[in-house]
Amino acid sequence: MPESGARSRNGGGTTTSGARRTELLAIAARLFADKGFRNTTVRDIADAAGIQSGSLYHHFDSKESMVDEILSVFQTELFARYEEILGSDDDARSKLERAFRVSFEAIENNPAEVAIFQNEADYLGTFPRFGYLADRNAQSRQVWVTLLEEGVATGMLRDDLDVTLTYRFIRDTVWVAVRWYRPGGGLTHTDVADQYVRILLDGIAK
Amino acid sequence: MPESGARSRNGGGTTTSGARRTELLAIAARLFADKGFRNTTVRDIADAAGIQSGSLYHHFDSKESMVDEILSVFQTELFARYEEILGSDDDARSKLERAFRVSFEAIENNPAEVAIFQNEADYLGTFPRFGYLADRNAQSRQVWVTLLEEGVATGMLRDDLDVTLTYRFIRDTVWVAVRWYRPGGGLTHTDVADQYVRILLDGIAK
DNA sequence: TAGCCTACCAAGCAAATGCTTGGTAGGCAG
DNA sequence: CTGCCTACCAAGCATTTGCTTGGTAGGCTA
């Protein structure tokens, strides 16, 4: 019984596109971000969407494939931006600042995706299916380390900088902000990026 | 049937002291830190301890009371140190540095407890029993904000500093290090504290 | 109007979960 | 020797979990 020409169905019988699908993914992303992946049940997602839990399996193979799609789509977009910065011919300082801004933009526009990656990457990474998470991690490291080394080489950053430690410092500082930053609050993501760049580059001492 | 003079039993029949108890708490803390509280089952804990899951209930009322004891004991110790610093008559810079050092010491000596607090405080805080977590959070904020304001007042820190944002910056940066810092690796907690203080105070620019 | 499509429901299953119950074994004090 | 203590086991219970199954209803298209 081979599949005929259905354009939005795969072999397993679940859909691979459609507005409702996208909507369900957004609902799931929010819950995964708020309660954690393992602690969000398919019934939680279904309730939030106003349908029965079984109906989710019309759209998706499994709960796992939902996070998978959420994370991979987001990361593809984010890393395209990083690569664009790396390839540009701005000076080292501008590149660093733009990397900060792109990151805080992601927190502004995709807080759920950022939170899920922060909280669940370690766990999900233990499954072969999510091997790309480790690759993205390495890629992110490569981006920041390259920018920092360029900064040191051009004399913009301190010569005695421990680039690896500084990378971790920046990575942690930037992404953890997703825990408290709320779009529409008193601070815009641009404000935060500006202040964080300033603290990082110049410090808080007089 | 009133309780007679048993010294290490409470009304419910569970123990309140003992070496085995402490051991079980340490095992549970490790698992809670690694897999999260909700994703650690009582059978996980029992397996790691080499006993049956039911046997845990000889020592503890519930899984919840295990985290409770883990967190409250740890925080009592940690905050005693912060208060000692606040009350000392060091200058503002020394106090800030000492607060950093105390924090990284906690990461060195109690990584599991730090990780649990970082990851589960939001969730646990929704239960009345864990109301003290929010209090500790406010107390921590008070400590750092006081130190920062003292720094600004004495002319050690920039006048234009956004103290609240800086507090969040420091808090996030320090505690998130528990995710990658491993005791016994190339860096000691003192190394990390030194470098982080340096970056924070003086920045990474030349 | 026949045929296939999307989107869902209602019911249920096997496994895993936190916790309870009744009981056992060894040790130490009087 | 008696009695109470600590530390555990074996079995099971009610609930929750991810996922499956068989079916329905409305819409689009040839």
Side-chain angles (χ1 to χ4, degrees):
Chain A
M1 212 196 295
E3 287 286 314
S4 47
R7 273 164 308 180
S8 56
R9 269 186 168 249
N10 63 16
T14 62
T15 57
T16 56
S17 66
R20 183 57 168 155
R21 223 184 111 90
T22 308
E23 205 177 340
L24 292 173
L25 273 185
I27 290 169
R30 245 209 156 100
L31 288 168
F32 290 157
D34 285 352
K35 317 180 31 168
F37 172 68
R38 281 165 292 180
N39 196 57
T40 301
T41 72
V42 293
R43 284 172 181 81
D44 288 337
I45 302 170
D47 284 354
I51 62 177
Q52 295 286 332
S53 67
S55 304
L56 286 174
Y57 291 82
H58 166 68
H59 299 276
F60 307 97
D61 281 338
S62 63
K63 195 175 100 168
E64 237 178 46
S65 69
M66 293 190 216
V67 235
D68 196 346
E69 192 165 337
I70 289 166
L71 287 178
S72 57
V73 167
F74 165 67
Q75 294 201 331
T76 301
E77 288 173 13
L78 176 64
F79 279 85
R81 292 182 200 237
Y82 282 143
E83 291 302 326
E84 197 276 321
I85 293 171
L86 261 191
S88 78
D89 48 4
D90 290 346
D91 61 18
R93 175 164 185 134
S94 300
K95 286 187 185 174
L96 256 184
E97 288 194 17
R98 285 183 59 198
F100 261 84
R101 258 175 260 286
V102 160
S103 306
F104 281 104
E105 257 173 49
I107 292 177
E108 168 92 21
N109 299 323
N110 300 90
E113 288 79 358
V114 170
I116 295 168
F117 181 61
Q118 289 307 294
N119 298 325
E120 316 289 349
D122 275 1
Y123 166 68
L124 294 175
T126 62
F127 301 97
R129 167 173 203 169
F130 292 95
Y132 66 90
L133 292 179
D135 297 340
R136 290 300 194 184
N137 224 328
Q139 193 180 352
S140 158
R141 179 195 174 94
Q142 196 51 47
V143 168
W144 285 103
V145 166
T146 302
L147 293 181
L148 289 171
E149 282 173 345
E150 201 177 313
V152 173
T154 60
M156 177 213 142
L157 299 180
R158 281 167 21 204
D159 305 314
D160 64 334
L161 212 60
D162 180 333
V163 174
T164 301
L165 191 92
T166 305
Y167 153 67
R168 286 197 280 237
F169 184 104
I170 293 176
R171 174 200 60 186
D172 291 350
T173 300
V174 168
W175 293 123
V176 169
V178 77
R179 291 198 177 187
W180 57 263
Y181 179 76
R182 291 293 164 263
L187 289 162
T188 68
H189 68 279
T190 317
D191 292 338
V192 180
D194 287 346
Q195 294 218 47
Y196 271 37
V197 167
R198 173 82 196 281
I199 292 177
L200 180 77
L201 289 178
D202 303 328
I204 66 172
K206 197 189 270 182
Chain B
M1 213 200 292
E3 286 288 314
S4 48
R7 274 163 310 181
S8 56
R9 273 186 164 248
N10 63 14
T14 62
T15 56
T16 57
S17 65
R20 182 56 169 156
R21 225 184 110 90
T22 307
E23 205 177 339
L24 292 173
L25 273 184
I27 290 169
R30 240 203 160 107
L31 289 169
F32 291 157
D34 285 351
K35 318 179 32 169
F37 173 67
R38 283 165 292 180
N39 296 305
T40 302
T41 72
V42 294
R43 284 173 180 80
D44 288 337
I45 303 170
D47 284 354
I51 61 177
Q52 295 286 334
S53 68
S55 305
L56 286 173
Y57 292 82
H58 165 69
H59 300 276
F60 308 97
D61 281 338
S62 63
K63 195 174 101 168
E64 237 178 45
S65 68
M66 293 190 216
V67 234
D68 196 346
E69 192 165 335
I70 289 166
L71 287 178
S72 57
V73 167
F74 165 66
Q75 293 200 330
T76 301
E77 288 172 12
L78 177 63
F79 279 85
R81 292 181 200 237
Y82 282 142
E83 291 303 326
E84 198 275 322
I85 293 171
L86 262 191
S88 78
D89 48 3
D90 290 347
D91 60 19
R93 175 164 186 135
S94 299
K95 286 186 186 176
L96 257 184
E97 287 193 17
R98 284 183 59 196
F100 262 84
R101 256 175 261 287
V102 160
S103 307
F104 282 104
E105 258 173 49
I107 292 177
E108 167 92 21
N109 299 324
N110 300 91
E113 288 79 359
V114 171
I116 295 169
F117 182 60
Q118 290 307 294
N119 298 327
E120 316 289 349
D122 276 1
Y123 166 68
L124 294 175
T126 62
F127 301 97
R129 165 172 203 170
F130 291 94
Y132 65 90
L133 292 179
D135 298 340
R136 291 299 195 184
N137 223 328
Q139 192 181 352
S140 157
R141 179 195 173 94
Q142 197 51 48
V143 167
W144 285 104
V145 167
T146 301
L147 293 181
L148 289 171
E149 282 173 345
E150 202 177 311
V152 173
T154 61
M156 177 210 140
L157 300 179
R158 280 167 21 206
D159 304 315
D160 64 335
L161 212 60
D162 180 334
V163 174
T164 301
L165 191 91
T166 306
Y167 154 67
R168 285 196 282 236
F169 184 103
I170 293 175
R171 176 200 58 186
D172 291 351
T173 300
V174 168
W175 293 123
V176 170
V178 78
R179 291 197 178 187
W180 58 263
Y181 178 76
R182 291 293 164 263
L187 289 161
T188 68
H189 68 279
T190 317
D191 292 338
V192 180
D194 287 347
Q195 295 217 46
Y196 271 37
V197 167
R198 173 83 196 280
I199 292 177
L200 181 78
L201 289 177
D202 303 327
I204 67 173
K206 196 186 270 183

